[in-house]
Amino acid sequence: MKLGRLRLLLALDALLVEGSVNRAAERLGMSAPAMSRLLGQVREIYDDPLFVRSSRRLIPTPFAEAMRQRLRALAAEAEALCQPQEKTPNDALTDFEAWTAAPVIEAAPLTSRRSVLIEGEPSPEAIARKLVSLGKVEDTRKRLARHIATMGAGIGHSRPLTLNEAEDAFSIVLDGEADPIQIGALLSIMNFRGETAAELAGFVRAARVHIGAANPETSRIDLDWPAYISPKSRRMPWFLQAALLLSQAGHKILLHGMDGGSGTKGKLVTAASAIGISVCSNTATAADAIAEHGIAYLPLAAMSSQLHRLHMLYGLLETRSPVNSLMPLLNPLGAPSIMMGVVRPAYRELHCDTGALLGSRNLTVLGASRDSAEATPFRSSTLLRLVAGKVDHLFIPAVPEPPAYPATGMASLEYWRAVWTGAIHDERAAAIITATAAAALLTLSGGDADRFVECQRAARKLWEGRNGNALPRRRRSYG
């Protein structure tokens, strides 16, 4: 190996450890611009961005995360080799035998290794060996404690969870075997540091097993459409009408989510019922409703009371948690295509990367003002996509915003329903609905960006020819 390449690997290790160009530069005793240049060279070698910038730190891509342990082992061994080696006079082993008898790394190092340890202070390797021993015990709480300590034991003793570790940790939580304090610690530590794609993928896999999600190879639906909106949102859910448009065109769609309501009082439940979308009580009845009518809405509480309670922790913590992040990727009926809306810019890349780790073939992430897939055509945006499993970005320019429709004296739900039936012609609402439907059609097609204009025309045609003047006839209950 060329010495320059080794320097690049050590720089990448420092970036993974610190999550910051400035701190990584300080760690290696160089300037921040020099570290930035090294990062650029590593990106060229691997043809991967390696990191996505968030508001708090650099978030590794799945490719970079997969190299973390090997790089850490390399850096730790390099530091160990540079330390003065003490020789024992009466040692029966030759120098060569002493070097070859001991393993290079007994346990995978954690986030960082300081070159100077206080006397009696455990090394990162000692902490790692302790965590490995905890992971072998049968007590699930001790096993979960090991995962929490892996992430939160402090600088020099912590690292992100692997996909399998995250799946195991969240499975313990979903099975009801975790102490409440452990749940808070697990979610808070991960949220504060920022989830990695591997951690989020592990959480999603555990949640899918928990709800008995369908196998994508045997799925009977076309599109998964998550809708987890803030209970504080006052906007009307135009995306429901876009989804109904596609179902009238023959596509089979599952909507699932929550809005902070409960029972029959939630905004999404009320709105879906108002335009004839069946509200279902479990995944089996949702599949039946889709087979009969082409579309159904499944509240989170109907899938899992445990996931619903974890999602409602927002009211106690007043901040999001990894549970909020995993829900758009849940895909309960194993649809081959997923369209989701994600608010935070850094999390859009995270969800796209996580979808790739989970094997998603066709996925679209919309930048949204709430976590539901609804387009915002009056400002430019970028669709982050997986097309046949490969990453693709599509820039969409803004369109002129029509004037707001004058006040009518109607209640919000009455107005929203009147737009669907055609009693009110609101061009602004129609633009939102058709832009959302166009993004969904592109997702369903799995086609390249050149097809988007065609999808826009098709969406407009669906809107103009919708069966809104005659709402769906009374349907049997799916609850």
Side-chain angles (χ1 to χ4, degrees):
M1 176 188 290
K2 295 180 179 179
L3 290 177
R5 290 288 180 92
L6 179 59
R7 184 168 180 248
L8 294 178
L9 293 178
L10 294 176
L12 179 54
D13 169 71
L15 288 163
L16 285 166
V17 167
E18 300 293 349
S20 163
V21 170
N22 290 333
R23 290 198 300 271
E26 182 180 351
R27 181 185 182 86
L28 295 184
M30 64 175 61
S31 67
M35 177 58 70
S36 295
R37 288 193 293 272
L38 292 180
L39 175 57
Q41 293 176 44
V42 182
R43 283 171 167 163
E44 288 182 8
I45 290 174
Y46 290 114
D47 191 22
D48 187 89
L50 298 177
F51 297 93
V52 177
R53 187 174 297 280
S54 72
S55 59
R56 291 192 294 265
R57 59 180 291 140
L58 295 175
I59 299 176
T61 64
F63 178 81
E65 192 61 52
M67 295 194 294
R68 179 188 292 271
Q69 298 246 13
R70 294 174 65 189
L71 289 168
R72 191 82 288 276
L74 172 66
E77 182 62 13
E79 289 185 9
L81 288 170
C82 292
Q83 298 298 318
Q85 304 297 319
E86 295 183 2
K87 295 184 178 181
T88 304
N90 297 324
D91 196 343
L93 295 178
T94 66
D95 286 347
F96 176 78
E97 290 171 335
W99 277 104
T100 56
V104 175
I105 292 292
E106 295 183 5
L110 301 179
T111 297
S112 64
R113 178 192 179 102
R114 290 176 295 234
S115 58
V116 177
L117 295 174
I118 299 173
E119 184 177 357
E121 180 183 1
S123 68
E125 289 80 2
I127 298 292
R129 286 192 291 271
K130 178 181 178 181
L131 294 179
V132 168
S133 66
L134 282 175
K136 296 177 181 178
V137 300
E138 295 298 324
D139 189 322
T140 53
R141 291 190 181 185
K142 287 185 178 179
R143 204 165 76 240
L144 181 56
R146 172 234 179 171
H147 296 313
I148 295 170
T150 297
M151 292 190 301
I155 296 176
H157 299 144
S158 61
R159 61 166 172 80
L161 298 179
T162 65
L163 192 153
N164 289 335
E165 288 171 338
E167 181 178 7
D168 182 50
F170 200 52
S171 294
I172 294 170
V173 173
L174 291 175
D175 291 342
E177 298 178 353
D179 185 274
I181 295 176
Q182 289 182 310
I183 296 174
L186 176 73
L187 299 181
S188 296
I189 291 171
M190 191 177 292
N191 182 59
F192 180 78
R193 188 247 302 141
E195 308 99 299
T196 66
E199 288 172 334
L200 190 54
F203 272 38
V204 173
R205 287 206 322 200
R208 287 179 177 176
V209 171
H210 174 71
I211 66 170
N215 188 332
E217 296 180 1
T218 60
S219 177
R220 294 180 294 171
I221 69 170
D222 301 320
L223 180 64
D224 184 78
W225 197 317
Y228 294 82
I229 66 176
S230 168
K232 301 175 183 179
S233 174
R234 296 293 178 265
R235 296 182 60 188
M236 291 179 275
W238 298 116
F239 65 90
L240 290 180
Q241 298 190 16
L244 187 54
L245 270 186
L246 268 63
S247 73
Q248 289 186 350
H251 300 289
K252 297 186 180 300
I253 297 171
L254 174 67
L255 294 149
H256 59 91
M258 67 173 293
D259 54 14
S262 60
T264 60
K265 298 180 181 180
K267 177 188 292 185
L268 295 181
V269 170
T270 304
S273 300
I275 56 173
I277 298 176
S278 299
V279 178
C280 303
S281 61
N282 54 58
T283 53
T285 55
D288 292 341
I290 293 171
E292 184 174 352
H293 304 294
I295 190 168
Y297 173 68
L298 185 63
L300 175 58
M303 289 187 280
S304 165
S305 59
Q306 182 74 328
L307 274 173
H308 181 255
R309 285 191 290 265
L310 289 169
H311 202 281
M312 294 295 285
L313 286 176
Y314 181 90
L316 291 176
L317 305 176
E318 278 301 322
T319 186
R320 294 168 56 89
S321 78
V323 178
N324 300 84
S325 298
L326 78 87
M327 298 313 302
L329 290 156
L330 190 57
N331 197 7
L333 295 184
S337 300
I338 305 173
M339 188 172 80
M340 67 182 71
V342 177
V343 176
R344 299 180 181 181
Y347 276 65
R348 295 168 200 160
E349 293 277 2
L350 174 66
H351 280 75
C352 199
D353 290 343
T354 305
L357 282 179
L358 292 168
S360 297
R361 301 292 295 167
N362 295 320
L363 180 148
T364 298
V365 182
L366 283 73
S369 59
R370 58 186 175 187
D371 285 347
S372 61
E374 181 173 290
T376 53
F378 314 122
R379 66 168 184 253
S380 59
S381 61
T382 299
L383 299 183
L384 275 64
R385 308 172 61 217
L386 291 176
V387 181
K390 296 182 179 180
V391 177
D392 180 66
H393 292 181
L394 172 60
F395 175 78
I396 302 176
V399 300
E401 184 172 1
Y405 197 83
T408 61
M410 291 182 172
S412 295
L413 181 61
E414 292 175 329
Y415 182 91
W416 182 83
R417 187 175 181 273
V419 171
W420 173 256
T421 62
I424 288 178
H425 298 280
D426 186 332
E427 279 303 314
R428 185 180 185 280
I432 294 173
I433 295 166
T434 55
T436 303
L441 287 171
L442 184 65
T443 304
L444 284 163
S445 72
D448 57 31
D450 294 338
R451 298 196 60 182
F452 187 63
V453 174
E454 177 187 338
C455 292
Q456 288 176 311
R457 288 196 295 264
R460 191 73 195 186
K461 188 175 180 180
L462 288 175
W463 175 250
E464 293 170 353
R466 71 192 182 283
N467 188 25
N469 291 320
L471 287 172
R473 290 175 292 181
R474 185 179 182 86
R475 297 175 176 176
R476 65 184 179 89
S477 171
Y478 286 90

